[in-house]
Amino acid sequence: NTASDAMRTAVGIAPPPASEGQARAVNDLVWGFCVAVVCLGALVGCSLGARVADSLGRRRAILTTTALFLCGTLVEVSAALARSRCADCGPGVGVLLLALGRVLVGVACGATTVVTPIYLGEISPPELRGALGALRDIAPTPEPPPSPPERARATTAAIARGRHRIPALVRRRPA
């Protein structure tokens, strides 16, 4: 993965040549930890999300998780910047900052997963509560993008049918 290689190099854990098997295994383990630690943060965020929503209120809890997303992202970016500023520091500083940023983003993800459906359930009209909750659950589900000609045909057909204002998640994909 090209993006992965660039990010690994930026924080100082680029994979060494295949001939250095032990060093490669350690670097892969460190990178795997940096990638997976977001799930641990999400576990903590899910556990704390309802309490935070009860104490701060739903809207302020969502704003707090947004700020946490921002802080986590800034810490992740600083991982690469710290490595570029201090070449003698080794990979430790970059790895720690990256892992810390990933934990913060994970906590925000987990808390948002809990708080958003509560908030949507409270502000939506009774006849739409179930639909909004279901759409919220499937909204982040990605689907592969269609090829440009297929996308053009689908867009033209949707406009012709007057369905261009309906979210893509609730309309059927063209055959």
Side-chain angles (χ1 to χ4, degrees):
N1 184 329
T2 305
S4 170
D5 291 343
M7 289 185 286
R8 289 175 71 154
T9 303
V11 295
I13 52 174
S19 61
E20 299 178 30
Q22 183 68 24
R24 186 175 186 87
V26 169
N27 280 0
D28 287 344
L29 181 69
V30 170
W31 179 249
F33 173 76
C34 287
V35 169
V37 75
V38 73
C39 295
L40 296 175
L43 181 67
V44 171
C46 284
S47 302
L48 299 175
R51 279 188 231 144
V52 170
D54 287 340
S55 64
L56 295 177
R58 309 316 185 222
R59 187 162 182 224
R60 281 198 180 130
I62 291 173
L63 292 173
T64 302
T65 59
T66 303
L68 201 53
F69 273 120
L70 180 63
C71 290
T73 302
L74 291 175
V75 171
E76 286 181 47
V77 169
S78 70
L81 295 176
R83 174 85 172 132
S84 67
R85 298 275 182 198
C86 177
D88 299 332
C89 294
V93 173
V95 170
L96 288 175
L97 287 172
L98 181 64
L100 175 63
R102 300 273 301 165
V103 168
L104 292 175
V105 167
V107 170
C109 284
T112 302
T113 301
V114 172
V115 176
T116 304
I118 297 170
Y119 182 69
L120 283 175
E122 290 177 354
I123 66 164
S124 60
E127 64 273 5
L128 293 179
R129 282 191 187 142
L132 286 176
L135 283 176
R136 184 246 163 259
D137 286 340
I138 64 169
T141 306
E143 65 180 55
S147 65
E150 187 180 320
R151 187 178 328 129
R153 277 193 304 270
T155 303
T156 305
I159 291 172
R161 290 189 304 268
R163 292 172 32 180
H164 61 283
R165 294 189 181 158
I166 300 173
L169 294 171
V170 293
R171 78 172 104 118
R172 291 184 303 177
R173 286 186 60 99

